[in-house]
Amino acid sequence: MTTPSLGLQKAPAPGLKNPVHDAQKIFKVAMNALARPGSLQEMPELGLEVPAPLTQTVAALALTLLDYDTPVYLDPALAQEVDVVDYLRFHTGAPIVALASDAAFALISDPKKMTAISGFAVGTDEYPDRSTTLLIAVDDMTNTSGATLSGPGIKTETEFDAVPLSPAFWPQMIANQTLYPLGVDVLFASPTHVAGLPRSSKISMKEAR
């Protein structure tokens, strides 16, 4: 099947099998992750078939959070893959933008080469919500090392780390927290879990990988 109106050469891979029910579950995972920063929220098994290098977990978040009114930025590894672009356009309708600063969401498949945090939208004094939420694909996450997080949603403090990340990531996020109530929010997506790092979190470093 082709979809000439969208300029597709072939039918994209299927999206969510039960769009309403699945999206509700995924949205709950994302919101719990942001409400409890650093906690590892399990993503339900959805059986998605997605074009590489898009991962199943990032795809699930994208299918749930993106729509016609949410411009999205794709990192170079994703943007150069026609199948990824067609998949996201077909299933979400989200406009894909070339500039990170124009994006409501950013999909990052190669975090070690990610655009500097300062390159994304941080909102404005009048509209602090007009900032970018980063959906970052990672291989693994842990609560036993890395940055120490505190603030809203955390009883005292918690450790959190994700791999792989650029060595510049945590220093940039520490700079991001100084902008509050402006700043970007982050959802990390491993193959099985999601973790949130909202702009309201306080970050300090004991060790970093």
Side-chain angles (χ1 to χ4, degrees):
M1 181 184 72
T2 60
T3 311
S5 63
L6 291 177
L8 306 183
Q9 298 302 312
K10 63 180 181 179
L16 299 173
K17 294 179 181 178
N18 188 332
V20 174
H21 182 65
D22 290 346
Q24 289 175 341
K25 292 191 292 185
I26 297 163
F27 186 77
K28 183 177 180 179
V29 169
M31 293 303 100
N32 284 342
L34 290 170
R36 300 173 178 85
S39 65
L40 306 186
Q41 303 290 322
E42 186 173 5
M43 178 67 79
E45 176 55 53
L46 300 168
L48 283 175
E49 298 178 10
V50 300
L54 191 65
T55 68
Q56 288 190 34
T57 311
V58 170
L61 291 169
L63 295 183
T64 300
L65 300 174
L66 303 184
D67 59 27
Y68 292 96
D69 294 323
T70 54
V72 60
Y73 168 84
L74 307 181
D75 74 0
L78 294 171
Q80 69 183 1
E81 295 295 335
V82 173
D83 287 348
V84 171
V85 173
D86 287 349
Y87 179 88
L88 293 170
R89 283 178 170 161
F90 182 81
H91 289 297
T92 73
I96 296 174
V97 296
L99 295 178
S101 57
D102 291 337
F105 289 90
L107 274 55
I108 309 298
S109 67
D110 189 353
K112 296 182 84 171
K113 298 180 180 179
M114 189 175 71
T115 298
I117 297 295
S118 60
F120 296 99
V122 298
T124 66
D125 291 337
E126 295 82 6
Y127 301 101
D129 58 321
R130 293 182 180 176
S131 60
T132 307
T133 297
L134 312 181
L135 309 182
I136 302 178
V138 295
D139 294 337
D140 195 17
M141 298 183 287
T142 180
N143 293 128
T144 60
S145 64
T148 299
L149 309 181
S150 60
I154 302 172
K155 287 185 178 181
T156 53
E157 61 181 33
T158 186
E159 290 189 325
F160 176 79
D161 199 8
V163 291
L165 293 174
S166 162
F169 178 81
W170 288 113
Q172 290 177 10
M173 287 304 297
I174 289 172
N176 179 72
Q177 74 183 4
T178 67
L179 303 176
Y180 186 81
L182 308 184
V184 305
D185 299 312
V186 177
L187 284 169
F188 298 95
S190 79
T192 57
H193 290 79
V194 174
L197 182 61
R199 71 193 77 178
S200 58
S201 294
K202 303 300 180 184
I203 305 168
S204 61
M205 297 302 300
K206 293 180 181 177
E207 60 177 303
R209 293 190 291 183

